[in-house]
Amino acid sequence: MSKMISFSLLCCAVYALASAAEADRNQAKTLFEQANYAEAYQHYQALAVQADTPPQLAAQDLSQAAECLRQLNRVAEWDVLREQVAAAHPRDWLVAVAIANANRSMPSWGYVTAGQFTRGDQRGGNWQNHRSCNQRDRTRLLQLMTDALPAFLRDPDAITKKEGQDYLHTFRRLLLPNKNDSWRLQILTDLTTLPDFDDDSEPRGNGAPVNDDGSPVFYALPESYATARNDGERWRWLLHLAEQSKAPHSRLQAGMEFADFLRSQFGVQTLLRDFFHADSGDNSLAAILAVETLSDDETIARLAGGIRRFQLPEEFNYIKIYQRLYAEYPQLFLGQAKELATIYENRRQYPKAVEWWQKEAEKYEGDASAKDNCYASRQIRRITGNWGEFLPGKPQVAGQPATATLRFRNATKANLTVHRIDLEAMLAASKKHIRSEGDTRHLDWIMTKPSYMLDRLLGEKEGDAYVKEQLAAWEETLEPLSGHRARQVTITTPIVKPGAYLLTATLPDGNLSRLPLIVEDVKIVSKPLEDGHLWQVLDAASGAPVSGLDLRLFGWNVRWNS
């Protein structure tokens, strides 16, 4: 009988404590909603550091306590709170995730004064003592997540889908915060000690890391987290764990994350920055022009050691992984087909891109309107349809036929016209607009500069008031390249006299492109002098001075008085 009474008393005590904690939590919520963050923090902090608080509730209490600190601008107290909660709930993966998520909302910098680090900004400068705690935070959070891993693996059936996803995703994000910092994956972060605060001056990645022979670094799948040789293998093992999920959507997400990472490291889009410097004397241009010759098991990428063409091992072939994921999960759409279509577009292998855009459009099957207007269908029409555009040009010299560069694909002919642009009327409208009464807020800056006004003529309806009579019309025969590839041709016009003209190309069953042409017989050159400006009128062809011309100058300025 006495044992039953003791048990009953114990149950009553536990119930009373739980009821008190729930009342305290409700009070904290009310205070938080009233923006009384200081008092709300006291309640949430007390609840979060109690060892008997259930993990799910402790995680919520911690998140709310961290938000209170942010609202109160008391982020310097975060480090103490973090360690108090970690000590109260050791090796608990739910609490570890909550700590990592809350830490992300805190400043990753602070100041060291008298050997003591204080997180957050400091009034009065003191920049010489500014320090980053980014890597120290990362290591501490990795310690907490690693300590909680055995408990996470102990009973996977008791973990909800969302909880499992959150833990593994947060863990992986700590190992690889940014794909641009993939070089960090080569390092095995030491979890036995915390790094010191630093000045955040560590190097940034410039291409995927390479081995001593220049070949790309690939991260193998280790037997376990503990046997991983670097953070890359740790990341792979956690990703593999997610791929073993019972939820198909989770498995697909993990596979997509791996393929996305590999593509970010080894895709041909890594050559993009070289496109603007393709004549720099290295092999950039040759690499860019060679992408259309690639097979599915090779790539050209800018690595840390430079541009390289290489074979992709089956395990790390992002194209094959996307294709496998599309085949294995035909009813789940996370962009597998879209990624493949984009990859083949980047490789200028347009027929393959069209095939995958068609597969992407299939998810709208049954809704003809949605399918016809979806992005994939628009891309198909853009690739397979007749398309052309004029490339921007410079003013040309009078006395010889003006030319323009047309970039096109698929089209076999273009209808061209030339109209006169009333440049005098355009200049008059610009001066009238500038002279109109009112403060400077009335100014349409496009109307203040003729070159901006000419840009308005690029639209089919913009600036038509300045487009006058048609001077020429003809048909140009085009010879498109195969495979929907783009080609550039020079269009020679009959325009030889100085003036402003609008050249228009219309592609049958395609689009329309416009280009303002400026043809000059003289150039006006201004040179600043010590006591003024020197204005020179020169022959556009020879550069010789031209005499006997009148110059009409229109000057204006803006005074910012308020």
Side-chain angles (χ1 to χ4, degrees):
M1 178 64 71
S2 60
K3 291 183 179 180
M4 292 182 62
I5 293 174
S6 299
F7 179 75
S8 299
L9 291 173
L10 178 61
C11 290
C12 291
V14 171
Y15 178 77
L17 289 172
S19 299
E22 187 62 27
D24 203 18
R25 191 168 288 109
N26 290 334
Q27 185 178 1
K29 180 181 178 182
T30 300
L31 291 167
F32 185 90
E33 291 173 348
Q34 294 172 346
N36 194 341
Y37 301 116
E39 291 188 36
Y41 173 73
Q42 294 177 0
H43 291 277
Y44 281 127
Q45 185 270 348
L47 289 166
V49 301
Q50 289 179 12
D52 56 353
T53 300
Q56 291 89 343
L57 295 177
Q60 296 172 16
D61 295 334
L62 171 67
S63 299
Q64 290 298 97
E67 181 59 24
C68 289
L69 290 179
R70 285 203 324 111
Q71 294 291 340
L72 294 166
N73 197 23
R74 287 163 47 183
V75 295
E77 301 176 36
W78 163 247
D79 297 81
V80 172
L81 174 63
R82 183 181 70 185
E83 296 310 314
Q84 287 177 338
V85 175
H89 306 275
R91 295 176 293 282
D92 189 288
W93 56 273
L94 277 170
V95 174
V97 171
I99 291 176
N101 289 334
N103 199 98
R104 205 164 57 247
S105 67
M106 296 295 169
S108 59
W109 63 87
Y111 294 82
V112 174
T113 305
Q116 183 69 34
F117 175 79
T118 303
R119 187 183 296 268
D121 294 319
Q122 187 178 84
R123 299 177 66 180
N126 193 25
W127 291 107
Q128 67 274 17
N129 292 320
H130 183 274
R131 295 291 183 273
S132 169
C133 57
N134 191 46
Q135 289 310 310
R136 188 179 179 90
D137 281 350
R138 174 178 176 269
T139 303
R140 179 60 183 132
L141 297 175
L142 282 173
Q143 287 178 339
L144 296 176
M145 299 294 278
T146 301
D147 290 344
L149 184 58
F152 178 81
L153 297 174
R154 190 172 300 126
D155 189 8
D157 292 335
I159 301 172
T160 67
K161 171 186 170 183
K162 185 180 185 309
E163 289 173 343
Q165 283 181 328
D166 288 347
Y167 173 77
L168 293 175
H169 179 71
T170 302
F171 207 159
R172 295 195 303 271
R173 187 166 52 189
L174 288 170
L175 291 166
L176 181 61
N178 189 320
K179 291 186 178 70
N180 293 329
D181 289 338
S182 62
W183 61 269
R184 191 183 300 282
L185 293 178
Q186 301 172 91
I187 303 168
L188 183 68
T189 300
D190 183 4
L191 300 181
T192 63
T193 183
L194 294 178
D196 200 359
F197 304 103
D198 57 68
D199 58 4
D200 200 27
S201 60
E202 62 184 17
R204 293 289 184 263
N206 183 23
V210 296
N211 297 305
D212 292 340
D213 62 356
S215 61
V217 172
F218 297 110
Y219 302 106
L221 177 63
E223 291 184 5
S224 66
Y225 181 87
T227 60
R229 296 170 298 175
N230 50 50
D231 284 354
E233 292 191 2
R234 284 172 168 171
W235 178 79
R236 276 295 312 275
W237 188 85
L238 292 169
L239 200 58
H240 178 70
L241 197 62
E243 290 175 326
Q244 309 310 307
S245 170
K246 294 181 179 180
H249 192 271
S250 298
R251 295 197 301 271
L252 175 56
Q253 279 186 319
M256 290 291 290
E257 183 177 336
F258 186 42
D260 291 344
F261 169 76
L262 294 171
R263 184 190 171 203
S264 74
Q265 302 298 292
F266 310 128
V268 299
Q269 81 284 344
T270 58
L271 302 172
L272 183 60
R273 74 176 184 87
D274 299 283
F275 178 80
F276 301 102
H277 309 280
D279 58 348
S280 58
D282 60 10
N283 60 343
S284 301
L285 180 59
I288 293 168
L289 296 178
V291 294
E292 59 195 55
T293 68
L294 291 170
S295 63
D296 283 358
D297 60 354
E298 60 179 344
T299 189
I300 302 174
R302 171 166 285 281
L303 307 176
I307 295 174
R308 187 181 180 106
R309 183 170 185 159
F310 57 94
Q311 295 289 124
L312 286 167
E314 187 79 15
E315 181 183 1
F316 305 100
N317 188 325
Y318 56 90
I319 293 180
K320 297 292 179 64
I321 295 173
Y322 283 129
Q323 290 174 343
R324 173 177 59 79
L325 294 175
Y326 179 83
E328 290 181 1
Y329 305 96
Q331 302 303 319
L332 296 178
F333 297 98
L334 283 185
Q336 309 96 298
K338 181 180 179 181
E339 293 297 333
L340 285 163
T342 304
I343 288 168
Y344 286 122
E345 276 199 51
N346 289 342
R347 292 178 170 222
R348 296 211 293 265
Q349 298 172 356
Y350 298 111
K352 289 184 178 180
V354 169
E355 291 179 16
W356 284 102
W357 282 126
Q358 289 171 341
K359 295 179 187 296
E360 174 70 10
E362 288 175 0
K363 64 183 179 183
Y364 299 99
E365 207 68 53
D367 189 336
S369 176
K371 183 177 181 180
D372 187 59
N373 292 291
C374 71
Y375 180 76
S377 295
R378 295 199 303 273
Q379 286 295 97
I380 293 171
R381 291 193 291 270
R382 185 183 66 83
I383 294 172
T384 61
N386 293 339
W387 171 87
E389 69 173 1
F390 286 115
L391 302 185
K394 298 180 179 179
Q396 301 181 47
V397 178
Q400 54 190 17
T403 61
T405 301
L406 178 69
R407 187 169 182 259
F408 74 98
R409 59 173 169 262
N410 303 321
T412 57
K413 66 178 181 179
N415 297 316
L416 296 121
T417 60
V418 175
H419 291 76
R420 181 177 68 86
I421 296 175
D422 192 343
L423 198 56
E424 285 289 333
M426 187 177 289
L427 294 173
S430 176
K431 289 189 285 186
K432 181 179 179 181
H433 180 75
I434 294 171
R435 285 178 172 141
S436 59
E437 294 184 1
D439 58 25
T440 55
R441 293 179 180 85
H442 82 282
L443 288 177
D444 177 356
W445 293 101
I446 292 178
M447 290 292 293
T448 64
K449 198 169 184 180
S451 60
Y452 294 164
M453 298 176 71
L454 285 172
D455 288 341
R456 278 188 167 174
L457 299 173
L458 299 179
E460 293 186 41
K461 299 298 181 183
E462 296 285 348
D464 280 353
Y466 309 113
V467 179
K468 301 304 179 181
E469 68 275 9
Q470 179 176 296
L471 302 178
W474 72 101
E475 182 178 281
E476 194 85 19
T477 300
L478 304 175
E479 296 181 3
L481 295 176
S482 61
H484 309 302
R485 291 175 297 162
R487 184 178 188 179
Q488 290 182 192
V489 295
T490 300
I491 302 295
T492 302
T493 75
I495 301 301
V496 295
K497 295 181 179 180
Y501 306 91
L502 182 64
L503 175 63
T504 303
T506 304
L507 280 67
D509 300 320
N511 69 314
L512 175 148
S513 181
R514 287 179 162 187
L515 178 70
L517 288 175
I518 303 298
V519 180
E520 304 173 326
D521 56 351
V522 295
K523 284 278 189 183
I524 300 176
V525 179
S526 173
K527 179 180 180 181
L529 301 177
E530 185 176 345
D531 56 351
H533 273 76
L534 172 65
W535 296 86
Q536 295 177 295
V537 181
L538 308 175
D539 183 277
S542 65
V546 177
S547 60
L549 295 180
D550 293 330
L551 291 182
R552 288 176 291 170
L553 304 179
F554 178 79
W556 63 284
N557 63 14
V558 174
R559 295 178 182 175
W560 303 97
N561 296 325
S562 61

